[in-house]
Every structure is written in structure tokens, then in C-alpha cells.
Amino acid sequence: MASSKPSLSLPFPIPAPDPSDEVVREFGPLLRIYKSGRIERPLVAPPVDPGHDAATGVQSKDVHLGSYSARLYLPPVAASSAKLPVVVYVHGGGFVAESAASPGYHLFLNRLAAACPALVVSVDYRLAPEHPLPAGYDDCLAALKWVLSAADPWVAAHGDLARVFVAGDSAGGNVCHYLAIHPDVVVVAGPQPRPLKGAVLIHPWFWGSEAVGEETTDPAARAMGAGLWFFACPDTSGMDDPRMNPMAPAAPGLHTLACDRVLVCAAEGDFLRWRGRAYAEAVAAARGGGGGGLGDANANAGGGVELLETMGEGHVFYLFKPDCDKAKEMMDKMVAFINAP
């Protein structure tokens, strides 16, 4: 691979494995499974409660909805402004880690809600291996339908359902594609062909049997890259499952995406970089926008598709370095995308 992945700096220590219990399966810092059946998620910091955020003035609350829950963020301007765009956010974590209460996501979404301003709904979906996929997909689809129904008083009073966006990072970016192309989204939102205003896919976790861009072509390495997917989704058809590879021959046509516009964010040091670029190009081409030759790090691929490529940074860097200049640049790009006519 042409670029190296920057080192990961965490604000808290990752605990070592328990020497008294044998580790039988491990996926980096995301997940450890012990012989006893115990599960650890070393990367996940202790959860934070909702409430008033002193730095932004944003108010948040949790709503429990059966198998899943949602954390809603309401910016202070909501009391005096016209209705706000609604951003349904899906966190990452390889379908096995993190939550809507993770401090990195809580900080990021407080800031996003205030900067837009927007009403943000962060989905706390069920995780594998306790709840293998498609449980997480099902929860996120149910959450989007719940938002579009305006069943929550905050959404009913302050949300503009003509400006609903889906956004997410890594596995959450994968889910955003799943939602935007799901036929039920069109049905629940009414007769218009594209009921979502936009989709923001940050460092989306897609993969496939064939390499794209400068991805490794080694079959064993490609199979290793899909290992967590096979673990989280035992009923998958493989690396070219349309949920993991939206450009696979059996995948639904990208022209059917139920959103007006798409923003894809990629990072130079992320091994998923080439997948994100290829996805942006493929969506643009499917919409008649060409999509070829995305040489600029901040490019418009046509067809309502934009690509932001952050140089010198790695996968979901903005969660670990929220105050760096590149994180602010990405936030500014998202705010502009959400507020564009």
C-alpha cells in the first residue's frame, strides 16, 4: 500500500488481556473473546450521560425504543429558529464496538448539532457477537423510520423532514449506504424518488473480493481484511455481499440511492481509502456525473457526489484528535454539505 497508517493515540490506556482466561478470538483493540465466553471491548471508553453540554449549549436525551435506543441532540437555536435539518448518525466500531454514549461520538455530535445547526439522532444499535448482523442493520432502519414518522416531540417540533440526512463512520458509513438504498426508505417517506436530502459516509467500511485502487491484491490479505465482517455477519454470502460491497455485480444499482446528494470522506492513511474513492466515483457515474479522475483531495465527482480526502491522517482520526485542524476542516465540510440548498 502506498501510504502508511498514522499511529493511533488514545486518551485512555487499552487494558492488557486477562492472563487468567485464554483469549480465543481477537480483532485488534475492538474485541476480545475469552474461552470462558467473556467479551471485552478494549478500545471503548466509559460511556457518558446525555444532558446539557456547557461548551455548545446543546441539550441531549436518550430515547429507548425496544431493541435499540437513540440519543437526540438539540442545539440552543431550536427554540427561536425555523425547523432544523435532521441528521441520523450511525457510529462505527466494526459492528462489534462503540455506542451512542461513547465519549468521542458524544463530543463530535454535540459540536455538529451546534455548528450546523441541526437536530441529530445518534442510533445505539445492537452489536455482534451478542446480536449478529443483520440485527444492527435492522435497528438502524427502524430508527430512520422512527425519525421520519416524527414520533418524538423534538423531531415533530424542530425537525425539517424535507432535510433528513444519514451520516456515519466506518461500519456506520456502511450502514448509511444500506439505509439510503433500502426500498423501505422510499416507501415510508412518501412518493418522492429521493426522500433523503443527503448521505455522509466517513471512512466507510466497504470491501470486496477484487482490489480497487492501490489495495492489496494478495488473496490471503484480502480474506484477512474481511475477517471481522465474516465474524459479525455469519449469514453473509462473502466479501461481495452487497451490504459489504455495494459495487458487486449482485448489488442494487447505485442510481437508486434514495438521497439527493452524497459526501464521501476518506483519509490518506486509511486502508479503506481506495474503497471510499471507488464508491464516490461509482455513485457519480451511476448518476451520470462521470466520476472519473478524482485527483483533488476536495473534489466534486458530479451527480451530486462530493469527496473529501484528508491527507496525513488515518481511519476516524477526528474521533481521536477532535481539535486538530484536519478534524475542523472535515466538520466545516459536513456543515456546508448539510446546509447547502
Side-chain angles (χ1 to χ4, degrees):
M1 198 168 293
S3 57
S4 61
K5 187 172 181 178
S7 60
L8 186 65
S9 177
L10 298 176
F12 57 92
I14 293 179
D18 182 354
S20 67
D21 195 359
E22 181 184 353
V23 175
V24 294
R25 198 77 188 267
E26 187 167 16
F27 294 95
L30 284 178
L31 189 73
R32 289 187 194 129
I33 301 175
Y34 289 87
K35 188 174 183 179
S36 66
R38 183 163 57 92
I39 294 172
E40 280 185 349
R41 294 175 167 92
L43 184 64
V44 178
V48 294
D49 293 330
H52 179 261
D53 181 60
T56 61
V58 171
Q59 187 71 30
S60 58
K61 68 175 182 178
D62 288 342
V63 179
H64 298 281
L65 297 159
S67 64
Y68 68 97
S69 64
R71 179 164 293 188
L72 280 67
Y73 296 83
L74 192 66
V77 301
S80 58
S81 69
K83 288 199 171 186
L84 303 170
V86 180
V87 179
V88 178
Y89 194 89
V90 185
H91 68 78
F95 297 109
V96 301
E98 302 291 358
S99 75
S102 295
Y105 289 110
H106 188 67
L107 174 67
F108 175 69
L109 296 178
N110 271 314
R111 291 178 173 182
L112 181 67
C116 287
L119 194 163
V120 178
V121 180
S122 180
V123 186
D124 200 26
Y125 55 91
R126 288 172 291 173
L127 301 176
E130 296 92 335
H131 304 282
L133 292 172
Y137 286 122
D138 293 343
D139 290 347
C140 293
L141 180 59
L144 178 57
K145 292 180 178 181
W146 175 75
V147 169
L148 292 171
S149 74
D152 182 81
W154 280 11
V155 177
H158 304 291
D160 182 354
L161 296 184
R163 292 185 293 158
V164 175
F165 295 78
V166 291
D169 64 282
S170 195
N174 174 298
V175 175
C176 287
H177 169 79
Y178 175 86
L179 296 176
I181 210 160
H182 199 287
D184 283 4
V185 177
V186 177
V187 172
V188 76
Q192 62 267 37
R194 289 177 179 168
L196 300 176
K197 188 69 174 175
V200 181
L201 284 69
I202 306 169
H203 311 167
W205 182 24
F206 298 133
W207 202 239
S209 60
E210 300 294 328
V212 300
E214 296 182 24
E215 287 179 352
T216 179
T217 57
D218 178 66
R222 298 204 63 75
M224 186 180 298
L228 183 56
W229 166 250
F230 286 109
F231 176 78
C233 189
D235 72 347
T236 183
S237 59
M239 283 187 275
D240 292 323
D241 185 318
R243 295 169 293 185
M244 179 48 64
N245 184 3
M247 296 168 285
L254 294 173
H255 66 282
T256 63
L257 282 169
C259 54
D260 290 339
R261 297 180 289 115
V262 178
L263 169 62
V264 178
C265 300
E268 181 188 20
D270 185 2
F271 83 102
L272 298 175
R273 168 193 187 187
W274 303 106
R275 250 335 116 164
R277 287 177 62 91
Y279 177 82
E281 292 177 349
V283 174
R287 294 184 163 197
L294 285 175
D296 194 295
N298 193 343
N300 189 320
V305 181
E306 299 177 46
L307 172 70
L308 172 67
E309 189 159 29
T310 303
M311 310 308 288
E313 298 292 351
H315 190 63
V316 298
F317 70 93
Y318 67 98
L319 295 174
F320 303 109
K321 300 191 291 182
D323 296 317
C324 74
D325 290 342
K326 297 296 178 67
K328 294 174 183 176
E329 177 187 5
M330 196 189 82
M331 174 71 77
D332 289 345
K333 181 69 174 179
M334 289 183 66
V335 169
F337 180 83
I338 290 167
N339 286 324

